[in-house]
Amino acid sequence: VDTLASEVYNSDKPPYLDKYSKVAETGDPIDFETYYPPMDKYCHISVFSPKKGQFATVFSDITERVQAETDLRESHAFQRGLMNAMPDLILRFDEDGRYLTIEASDKSSLVTPKREMLGKNVADILPAPVATQTLGAIQNALQSGEMQTIEYTLTVADSRVRDFEARIMAISPDEVVAIVRDITERKELINNLQDAKEAAEAAAQAKADFLANMSHEIRTPLNAVIGMTSLLLDTPLNAEQHDFVETIRGAGDSLLGVINDILDFSKIESGKINLEKRPFYVRTCVEDALDLLSEKAAKKMLDLAYIIEPNVPPVVIGDVTRLRQILVNLLSNAVKFTDSGEVVVKVHSTLVENKQYELHFSVRDTGIGIPKDKIKKLFQSFSQADSSMTRKYGGTGLGLAISSQLAQQMGGKMWVESKVGRGSTFNFRILVDAQAGAKRLVSNVTQPQITGKRILIVDDNATNRLILVRQTESWGMAPSAVSSGPEALALFEEGHKFDMAILDMQMPEMDGFTLAKKIEKKVHKSLPLIILTSITRQETRTGDAKIDAFLNKPIKASALFDVLIGLTDSTRAPKEKPKKRAGFDSEMAQKHPRRVLLVEDNLVNQKIALKILERLGYQADLAANGLEALESLERQQYDVILMDIQMPEMDGVEAARLIRKKWPQEQLPYIIAMTAHALEGDREKYLSLGMDDYVSKPVSVEAVVEALKRSLD
């Protein structure tokens, strides 16, 4: 035994030694099951003694059975965990309607305790009308083989009256399974929205006024919820508490989105939306919209990109805020309904007459697509393509209706092309006037510094390759584009020479950093390398190849141009000096308590200003324009107002004039102008127009702190 064990098991204390020795000594056979290392199998082992002092073994391979039992246990554990996590009831009935099994993570949704239901017929448990409805659905499911859906109302075990939806489907010739969901809250929400819709149709003007007032009434406590949860998230919390606060914050943001959607829709219907006519860069508008969705897209590993055709005028005259709103809405939907692939914005134009152009925007995704018979519902108010979309993805069903009507008010229209499983393309057109003599943000002509430079482009996404090839060619460069690292290395092995290379970070087979290291070590050590990434990176990983520049997706032509010029002027682009960290005094609000109102229409600027104020300890209220600022002052007094200048409906200058006119001197807030106008003399200009102070955009922490301190004097 010792010799066999040491040779077979390579162990001084081999397993089963006591069993083998006992059989040899007593002659009594034994059977056991275990993992047997020499065979790398699970075995049933029979040990018997042919004669005293000896033993013999018979091995039976039971690996498949053991694995099957393990898989079955894991499957049962997974199913049990899944059922416990689901809020639904899962019931199994026979063909006569008797309860066979009941799975309920929330026992409060049962009509009576589980033990009293098993084995009984639904007619013994449920009220007669509901029992009849359920039995009919069971028979229909068994006969047709198709899922049956019914809704009913029940009084559950704790005497609450609840609404339920049951989906019943056959799982054998004489059994069905029913998935029952409590839809009380959903029905209440639908009823509330329907009531609001009917009221709106009955009295459009009254509805507009009511929703505007309610919006402000709700925003006051809602801002407190969002502001306080933000502060809570910056305090020490355990994992459970952090999850609770994140849930509250997410619900608050969702509610604010619903309020904004309904208010916008009301304004459009009542004709209260006045479109601005101001010059703006088309490219900047598109890039700003993409920036707002870039984080969500990066989390889903989606490629965001845009293509602006050369025939699009660089600067047009129109309402940039409402155009950005349409783009953000379409991009948000595209990212929401796309799990893999890309979302691409494309812009081209047609000259209508004189300086008037028709801009055509398209937002294409590779998402779930929309059935043809559902498309007609998309642009209806309070509607989505499928009711199940509301349950799965959320939303009010107003976003596309608002976007479509905004496009119509801009002289155009909106439509969609889609194939189920292959994605959708939302298109809209608007009419704009081109500003004469405007210069492009990014040149589309040959650049002497980079003319003739050979550039290698490596990206698995075909759209990104197209964008990079077209842009670099317009600057006179000679691009070569491939879709993978091995293809790129093959070009070097074939003797191709390049002056620089752009590498995508996230690629199958070989990522950008791995490719960079291979290029640096095996191919070309001095080749300038640029990494494209959807994830913001401040520095490379330990062991990475030397990277000369990082560019975030979506690729911005201006940023790409600056990097290419920098690499041409210097073999290695100079490293940015580390920026000095902004000094936040988190106790400033305690030292100098002030009630602050932020008046700003731009979503990005709102987020930046509110974040600065939060870090200083101030919980600011928010108004989106001058009219809302006046209404906020009617409700409560403020010590400081941060006032944007250019806003729709009422600008900051007019709002400041009316505040000075309406409120007595002792109640006047300290008004700080916030504007992108930062030319010499602008400060004096705005002070003469009723402002107490002035900070220029982009707003810095130091400027806000100094202005708040001056408000104390």
Side-chain angles (χ1 to χ4, degrees), residues 659-696:
I659 291 170
R660 299 249 176 245
K661 180 179 178 181
K662 190 170 183 179
W663 275 268
Q665 183 67 33
E666 63 272 14
Q667 295 181 12
L668 283 177
Y670 188 88
I671 304 176
I672 303 171
M674 297 192 306
T675 175
H677 295 289
L679 299 176
E680 186 175 353
D682 279 338
R683 178 183 180 85
E684 291 73 20
K685 169 187 172 182
Y686 290 113
L687 293 180
S688 68
L689 291 173
M691 307 294 180
D692 296 300
D693 210 335
Y694 165 95
V695 294
S696 63

Side-chain angles (χ1 to χ4, degrees), residues 58 69 86 151 191 204 210 225 235 298 352 373 392 425 450 469 491 498 565 598 602 635 648 672:
V58 177
E69 291 172 351
M86 290 177 64
E151 292 185 10
N191 290 337
F210 170 76
V225 171
T235 63
V352 178
D373 60 333
K392 183 174 181 180
T425 302
I450 53 180
V469 167
L491 290 180
F498 298 100
I565 293 297
L598 172 66
N602 182 275
R635 289 169 174 76
I672 303 171

Side-chain angles (χ1 to χ4, degrees), residues 218-293:
I218 295 172
R219 279 183 187 181
T220 300
L222 188 57
N223 278 327
V225 171
I226 294 174
M228 292 304 292
T229 51
S230 296
L231 292 174
L232 263 178
L233 288 171
D234 286 333
T235 63
L237 300 171
N238 63 36
E240 184 180 41
Q241 292 169 332
H242 192 276
D243 181 60
F244 290 164
V245 178
E246 284 281 14
T247 301
I248 296 170
R249 177 58 187 268
D253 289 340
S254 297
L255 180 56
L256 185 59
V258 171
I259 294 167
N260 288 337
D261 276 353
I262 294 176
L263 185 61
D264 260 355
F265 184 73
S266 171
K267 288 179 179 179
I268 291 173
E269 277 200 331
S270 61
K272 285 192 172 182
I273 289 221
N274 297 316
L275 297 177
E276 289 186 339
K277 293 289 184 181
R278 296 179 182 274
F280 65 91
Y281 278 98
V282 176
R283 184 180 296 274
T284 300
C285 178
V286 173
E287 289 178 348
D288 287 348
L290 287 164
D291 282 343
L292 290 173
L293 276 302

